[in-house]
């Protein structure tokens, strides 16, 4: 853990994992608003034939995509922690940091476009941590 930026990379990866945990929690909250309950009932009732004899409801499709996001965030955060704990070279750490900046940045732009504050704010904070990690790594090369 002596390389500049490695600790910040680890912190950002742990934050990313925590965002995944918060996403799982958010998915477990049941709707109580009558309007939202009516929309969910409509989503459960409408089925889309997608082939292979399968016709999932719109609600099943939405839930699968939401759970995919949770798994993705947990997976990426866990992978980052493993990379941070390993004896990966500075070059490998830098490449993972850049990929995380690109991926988190794309998600931040997506949630900014759709105006969804919880993932926008949490992923923007993670993005800043990865950028800070990259800056700290770059300081190593200037010396």
């Amino acid at each position: 853990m002596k390389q500049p930026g490695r600790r910040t990379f680890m912190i950002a990866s742990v934050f990313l994992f925590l965002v995944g945990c918060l996403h799982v929690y958010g998915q477990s909250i049941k709707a109580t608003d009558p309007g939202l309950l009516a929309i969910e009932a409509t989503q459960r009732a409408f089925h889309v034939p997608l082939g292979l004899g399968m016709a999932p409801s719109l609600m099943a499709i939405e839930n699968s995509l939401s759970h995919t996001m949770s798994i993705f965030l947990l997976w990426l955060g866990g992978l980052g922690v493993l990379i941070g704990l390993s004896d990966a070279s500075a070059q490998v750490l830098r490449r993972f940091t850049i990929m995380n900046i690109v991926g988190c940045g794309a998600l931040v732009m997506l949630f900014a476009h759709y105006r969804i504050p919880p993932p926008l704010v949490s992923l923007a904070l993670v993005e800043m941590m990865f950028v800070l990690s990259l800056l700290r790594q770059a300081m190593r090369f200037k010396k």
Side-chain angles (χ1 to χ4, degrees):
M1 287 269 249
K2 300 272 187 204
Q3 295 170 334
R6 184 177 291 267
R7 183 175 298 145
T8 313
F9 178 87
M10 284 283 295
I11 292 168
S13 296
V14 168
F15 281 0
L16 194 55
F17 190 86
L18 291 174
V19 170
C21 291
L22 290 172
H23 198 272
V24 169
Y25 172 73
Q27 286 303 111
S28 70
I29 297 172
K30 301 295 181 201
T32 58
D33 180 82
L36 191 52
L37 289 171
I39 291 170
E40 285 184 355
T42 302
Q43 285 182 303
R44 281 189 184 84
F46 189 82
H47 290 261
V48 182
L50 294 179
L52 299 175
M54 297 179 192
S57 69
L58 280 181
M59 191 64 165
I61 293 170
E62 180 185 332
N63 284 336
S64 71
L65 293 173
S66 292
H67 291 303
T68 298
M69 184 67 172
S70 297
I71 291 167
F72 168 74
L73 291 169
L74 293 167
W75 179 6
L76 194 58
L79 184 60
V81 169
L82 289 177
I83 293 295
L85 290 174
S86 75
D87 58 352
S89 69
Q91 186 178 33
V92 169
L93 185 67
R94 179 176 166 78
R95 288 178 179 169
F96 267 89
T97 305
I98 291 169
M99 286 306 300
N100 283 337
I101 289 170
V102 170
C104 277
L107 289 172
V108 167
M109 288 188 295
L110 175 79
F111 292 118
H113 174 76
Y114 287 108
R115 302 173 54 101
I116 306 172
L120 171 64
V121 171
S122 59
L123 289 168
L125 292 173
V126 171
E127 175 80 356
M128 287 189 284
M129 289 299 297
F130 280 123
V131 169
L132 180 59
S133 173
L134 186 64
L135 292 173
R136 295 187 72 168
Q137 292 172 43
M139 290 171 57
R140 171 182 180 260
F141 295 109
K142 288 185 180 181
K143 292 182 181 180

